[in-house]
């Protein structure tokens, strides 16, 4: 838990301009001590520039960065209590693992015996015990990335900055390293600040995520809050997959609301919405929150029918696209008004994907608390 902890990094009204390009636009946020903080956003949104300003490789055009209570304006990168792990594994090709990991300690004048102990400890942490004498070209990409991590960890920085640390790894290794990095961060307790454009990576590792769009923070929240309560259409669409329909707020009471969506029909919600009556809004509905009714009389069909809340939030359409992904099948369903809605259905049994096929007429429903109403 990071709740209530003191900020270790305070970013105060920071902007960065490169000529006419505003890479970072008046960002203010706090990163708490001991948390795994992720800067997430599409290519070019400014996340790397923000990380590089924390590291000291770029200076803000405006604003202030405070690390551990100290203003960093005049502090060069090598004097900051941070260490950066780069996207391309920054290891020396001509040094073995021990020498690579111990390099920073050796040049800072720490004794050989102490260096040896710290290196052994760091290698254990990244699960590279036994690799001490290997040269980088005798290691896989994932192992080299662990060497780069150990090289930074051994310096015991207050903050570890990671620039797309897993982007060069294949999908399977990346998924495994996501778990390992989160576990490692938990063990060492150092604040991690990571940059990524990969939402799975952000959701799986972070304690909190700042979603960046065009140099600004679109939302800052823990992963589940970003996913379940996105603050705007950009976040809803960037984090996960979503159906978005434009509509108009027609009922807004404290515990219920309704939105008229020309593409989808009248959507009922069992919670209030902050927005003026008649306002233009957007409905965001995740594909996995939509139940496809199984045709026929089976148990699943009856259960689905009972779940449908007295005719509300029901829609009908025709299957126009299917994509079998193993664990789930995605269906693109053309609604009666012509719009397409995507539904994701888990394959709970081996034959679930056989329940539907192209051009089937289907009905679907969703719970009244599933749609999110967005004002921008
Ligand atoms: P990516 O994921 O592609 O690395 P990013 O979100 O990290 O993207 P930045 O690298 O921070 O984005 O770049 C933000 C904007 O600033 C981009 O428009 C980029 O072209 C511009 N930019 C970054 N560095 C410089 C520079 N040194 N000189 C000029 N423009 C720059």
């Amino acid at each position: 838990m990071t709740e209530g902890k003191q900020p270790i990094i305070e970013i105060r009204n920071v902007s960065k301009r490169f000529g006419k390009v505003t890479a970072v636009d008046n960002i203010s946020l706090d990163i708490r001590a001991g948390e795994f903080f992720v800067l997430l956003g599409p290519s070019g949104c400014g996340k790397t520039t923000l990380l590089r300003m924390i590291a000291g490789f770029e200076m803000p055009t405006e604003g202030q960065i405070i690390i551990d209570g100290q203003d960093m304006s005049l502090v060069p990168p090598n004097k900051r209590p941070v260490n950066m792990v780069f996207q391309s594994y920054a290891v020396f090709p001509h040094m073995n693992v021990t020498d690579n990991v111990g390099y920073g300690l050796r040049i800072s004048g720490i004794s050989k015996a102490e260096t040896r102990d710290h290196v052994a400890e760091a290698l254990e942490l990244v699960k590279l015990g036994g690799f001490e004498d290997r040269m980088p070209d005798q290691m896989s990409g994932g192992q080299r990335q662990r060497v780069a991590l150990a090289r930074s960890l051994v310096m015991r920085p207050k903050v570890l900055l990671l620039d797309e640390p897993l982007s060069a790894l294949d999908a399977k290794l990346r998924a495994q390293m996501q778990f390992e990095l989160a576990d490692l961060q938990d063990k060492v307790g150092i604040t991690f600040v990571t940059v990524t454009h990969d939402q799975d990576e952000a959701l799986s590792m972070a304690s909190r995520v700042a979603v960046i769009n065009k140099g600004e923070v679109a939302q800052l929240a823990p992963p589940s809050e970003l996913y379940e309560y996105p603050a705007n259409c950009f976040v809803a669409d960037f984090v996960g997959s979503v159906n978005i329909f434009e509509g108009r707020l027609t009922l807004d009471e404290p515990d219920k609301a309704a939105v008229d969506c020309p593409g989808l029909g009248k959507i009922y919600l069992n919670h209030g919405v902050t927005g003026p009556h008649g306002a233009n809004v957007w409905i965001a509905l995740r594909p996995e929150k939509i139940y496809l009714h199984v045709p026929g009389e089976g148990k699943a069909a009856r259960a689905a029918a009972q779940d449908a809340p007295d005719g509300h939030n029901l829609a009908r359409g025709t299957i126009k696209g299917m994509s079998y992904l193993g664990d789930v099948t995605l269906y693109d369903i053309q609604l009666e008004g012509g719009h397409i809605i995507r539904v994701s259905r888990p394959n709970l049994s081996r034959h679930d994907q056989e329940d539907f096929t192209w051009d089937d007429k289907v009905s679907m429903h969703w719970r009244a608390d599933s749609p999110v109403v967005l004002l921008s």
Side-chain angles (χ1 to χ4, degrees), residues 16-19 21-24 41-50 52 58 87 163-164 195-197 212:
K16 177 71 185 179
R17 284 185 283 279
F18 296 103
V21 177
T22 302
V24 171
S43 181
C45 72
K47 55 197 186 299
T48 305
T49 303
L50 187 57
R52 289 174 59 80
E58 300 284 359
Q87 190 168 356
D163 183 9
E164 303 260 3
V195 154
T196 184
H197 61 269
I212 313 285

Side-chain angles (χ1 to χ4, degrees), residues 194-236:
T194 298
V195 154
T196 184
H197 61 269
D198 181 327
Q199 39 125 345
D200 287 342
E201 209 163 293
L203 294 187
S204 67
M205 300 192 303
S207 44
R208 290 190 307 152
V209 182
V211 182
I212 313 285
N213 182 28
K214 296 184 184 150
E216 296 180 75
V217 178
Q219 189 172 2
L220 197 173
S224 59
E225 196 177 317
L226 279 186
Y227 190 82
E228 300 295 351
Y229 302 95
N232 46 56
C233 290
F234 176 81
V235 174

Side-chain angles (χ1 to χ4, degrees), residues 344-355:
S344 147
R345 183 169 186 257
N347 291 318
L348 300 175
S349 93
R350 287 189 173 144
H351 303 285
D352 279 3
Q353 81 278 7
E354 296 162 14
D355 287 340

Side-chain angles (χ1 to χ4, degrees), residues 38-360:
V38 174
L39 296 164
L40 171 70
S43 181
C45 72
K47 55 197 186 299
T48 305
T49 303
L50 187 57
L51 194 78
R52 289 174 59 80
M53 286 194 282
I54 298 172
F57 300 132
E58 300 284 359
M59 292 310 288
T61 314
E62 277 156 23
Q64 194 186 22
I65 295 176
I66 297 163
I67 305 180
D68 205 19
Q70 198 193 345
D71 181 358
M72 291 288 119
S73 304
L74 300 173
V75 182
N78 62 341
K79 295 278 190 281
R80 297 188 178 201
V82 304
N83 208 301
M84 183 124 159
V85 179
F86 293 92
Q87 190 168 356
S88 49
Y89 332 113
V91 294
F92 296 120
H94 58 286
M95 285 184 193
N96 69 14
V97 168
T98 300
D99 292 343
N100 255 297
V101 176
Y103 180 80
L105 291 177
R106 277 200 312 281
I107 60 168
S108 65
I110 286 173
S111 78
K112 268 192 176 161
E114 221 179 318
T115 299
R116 199 176 48 233
D117 289 349
H118 287 324
V119 168
E121 194 189 349
L123 288 179
E124 275 312 310
L125 274 173
V126 299
K127 302 188 181 155
L128 278 184
F131 283 76
E132 289 77 1
D133 298 327
R134 286 275 187 103
M135 298 302 286
D137 66 2
Q138 298 170 323
M139 304 178 89
S140 69
Q143 289 164 339
R144 281 203 295 274
Q145 186 62 321
R146 285 166 207 253
V147 175
L149 259 177
R151 256 180 60 152
S152 292
L153 286 172
V154 83
M155 304 304 290
R156 294 271 151 185
K158 290 211 163 104
V159 178
L160 194 62
L161 306 173
L162 302 109
D163 183 9
E164 303 260 3
L166 309 180
S167 63
L169 308 179
D170 65 55
K172 195 131 196 173
L173 192 53
R174 199 158 63 222
Q176 183 192 335
M177 282 295 283
Q178 285 167 11
F179 276 107
E180 288 192 14
L181 259 188
D183 192 42
L184 177 68
Q185 192 273 337
D186 201 43
K187 264 195 208 131
V188 294
I190 294 172
T191 309
F192 279 27
V193 184
T194 298
V195 154
T196 184
H197 61 269
D198 181 327
Q199 39 125 345
D200 287 342
E201 209 163 293
L203 294 187
S204 67
M205 300 192 303
S207 44
R208 290 190 307 152
V209 182
V211 182
I212 313 285
N213 182 28
K214 296 184 184 150
E216 296 180 75
V217 178
Q219 189 172 2
L220 197 173
S224 59
E225 196 177 317
L226 279 186
Y227 190 82
E228 300 295 351
Y229 302 95
N232 46 56
C233 290
F234 176 81
V235 174
D237 189 39
F238 192 73
V239 179
S241 166
V242 74
N243 297 289
I244 294 184
F245 291 91
E246 200 170 352
R248 209 165 52 81
L249 197 57
T250 53
L251 171 75
D252 52 341
E253 291 180 4
D255 57 353
K256 59 182 173 195
V259 178
D260 247 333
C261 293
L264 190 58
K266 195 158 189 161
I267 308 301
Y268 292 89
L269 301 130
N270 60 1
H271 50 88
V273 172
T274 30
H277 192 87
N280 244 7
V281 295
W282 287 266
I283 287 283
L285 187 54
R286 300 277 183 205
E288 77 280 6
K289 294 196 166 44
I290 304 171
Y291 299 82
L292 261 190
H293 290 206
V294 181
E297 291 300 311
K299 206 167 143 197
R302 281 198 301 278
Q306 275 163 15
D307 265 0
D310 56 21
H312 292 161
N313 297 329
L314 260 169
R316 291 192 172 74
T318 308
I319 294 181
K320 290 293 175 194
M322 286 176 33
S323 178
Y324 174 70
L325 301 180
D327 54 347
V328 297
T329 304
L330 304 179
Y331 298 92
D332 279 343
I333 297 169
Q334 187 167 41
L335 296 163
E336 284 164 348
H339 290 76
I340 298 283
I341 191 165
R342 173 159 290 187
V343 177
S344 147
R345 183 169 186 257
N347 291 318
L348 300 175
S349 93
R350 287 189 173 144
H351 303 285
D352 279 3
Q353 81 278 7
E354 296 162 14
D355 287 340
F356 300 100
T357 189
W358 275 268
D359 292 326
D360 275 357

